[in-house]
Amino acid sequence: LVWNARSINNKCGDTMCLLQDEAVDIAFLTETWLTDHSNAITADIKSYGYAIIHQHRSETKGGGAALLLKSSLQYNPIILKIQGVTTFEHVCALITCAADMKILFISVYRTGPVTKKFFEELEYLLGEASMRYDYILIGGDFNIHMESINDYSSELEQMAHSYGFRQIVDKPTHINEGTIDLLFDNSNLLEHASMYIKNDFLLSDHYPILCSTKEFYICLKKPKIITTRNLRSVDQNMLSSDISQSLSSFEMNSQFSDSCNYFFKAMNSLLDQHAPLTQKTISFVAHAPWFDSEYKNQRKLRRKAEKKKSKSEYHRTLYEEIRSETTIMANLKKKQYYRELLEKNKGNLKAVYNVVNKELDRKQENMLPSDSDVVQLSEKFNSYFNEKITKIRESLPTISNDNVTKIEP
């Protein structure tokens, strides 16, 4: 999907429902109007089962380019070696499809007057991307009218063609009939016949562009398998009784290590008995945790109404009412979900902070130094503290024996 959203801050729920209803795996979004790298909006996006890579404006309003990708995809954010780009915003991600095939996705947003510098910087982008990657898709709002032949559209088309790209959007993408949201393909990855403009989706002055890729293998993230114990279900009185009984015949051995081994073996045996190890598979959730059958049925009603809205004014009004009801229901269910979650963890500050941080998309910074070699990292810690102690000792004043006052018993 390629779409200029004209701010996702006030329509995040509708945007994510569009992606889910159309089964979108990857979206090129422009004019996100995001002002922070992580906030409640990015957290909301992630709750729908998508990841977001974006460039935001922190000091001025508007603008922004983003890529939204299903969380199950194997991807890496990419920074191309082009510096000082001022005429457009862009973000890149590399999607792993197979061992010998990776596709670079680039979301681009250009605004303001078209200048010679824009084409120079765009050529740097195309050159750097084409030199490093074989398969590339570029989508976004270029604000250059491709529906008419002019100097700018001709130069853009010629430049793209010189790097092997083909621009496939040939219908109006703006309410004023302009074709300014574009999609470039350099390796015939897209099913051009599948492309269509969703010109009945009027939450922005731009229309979403939907297109399918050709069938090829996509590498998905494997679900995580973790081992856990349900310690909360343990009967503490019974466990305490079993520990007392197990240690009643315990005697200290002459070898301290043997006594420790006996103790730990006995405790592990009791732990396995009262809270046995179980395996859990953590899958990538494809929907928000507050989705339930009622909300799913409401979305089905909205989809049915959307298909009929072009029949008459009555059907259009009905669709807008149902869409509004669906958005309100989603907000209410989200509030109820977090209210119940906070009530459940009442008194558990750590759990409450985790809920708040997740809702605001905050991540705790790693205070430890990074090092790929664990042994080397531990040696650094050891050297640091040894040096610290040595410096403390050296800083202490030296006291001679002559100045020491002896205290008689």
Side-chain angles (χ1 to χ4, degrees), residues 108 165 167 277 280 283 389:
V108 173
F165 287 91
Q167 203 286 117
L277 284 171
K280 283 187 177 181
S283 302
I389 292 170

Side-chain angles (χ1 to χ4, degrees), residues 15-39:
T15 302
M16 301 314 298
C17 285
L18 169 66
L19 266 59
Q20 290 192 324
D21 290 344
E22 300 293 342
V24 174
D25 293 314
I26 301 167
F28 303 82
L29 289 189
T30 54
E31 282 208 76
T32 59
W33 291 21
L34 292 172
T35 56
D36 299 288
H37 181 267
S38 301
N39 55 24

Side-chain angles (χ1 to χ4, degrees), residues 54-74:
H54 69 100
Q55 181 180 355
H56 65 277
R57 297 182 185 180
S58 56
E59 298 180 356
T60 59
K61 293 183 178 180
L67 285 168
L68 271 61
L69 313 99
K70 275 195 173 177
S71 299
S72 56
L73 296 174
Q74 284 192 12

Side-chain angles (χ1 to χ4, degrees), residues 8 25-30 32 34 36-38 42 45-46 50-56 64-71 73-79 89-95 103-108 221 361 363:
I8 59 173
D25 293 314
I26 301 167
F28 303 82
L29 289 189
T30 54
T32 59
L34 292 172
D36 299 288
H37 181 267
S38 301
T42 59
I45 289 170
K46 293 176 182 179
Y50 284 83
I52 177 171
I53 303 169
H54 69 100
Q55 181 180 355
H56 65 277
L67 285 168
L68 271 61
L69 313 99
K70 275 195 173 177
S71 299
L73 296 174
Q74 284 192 12
Y75 69 91
N76 288 306
I78 297 295
I79 299 177
E89 296 163 294
H90 72 285
V91 289
C92 311
L94 192 65
I95 309 295
I103 303 175
L104 181 67
F105 288 78
I106 307 176
S107 180
V108 173
K221 291 180 180 177
D361 198 17
K363 291 184 179 180

Side-chain angles (χ1 to χ4, degrees), residues 247 250-268:
L247 296 180
F250 175 73
E251 293 182 1
M252 284 294 292
N253 196 297
S254 58
Q255 292 294 327
F256 180 72
S257 60
D258 293 340
S259 299
C260 290
N261 289 335
Y262 175 84
F263 176 80
F264 288 129
K265 186 177 180 180
M267 293 302 101
N268 285 331

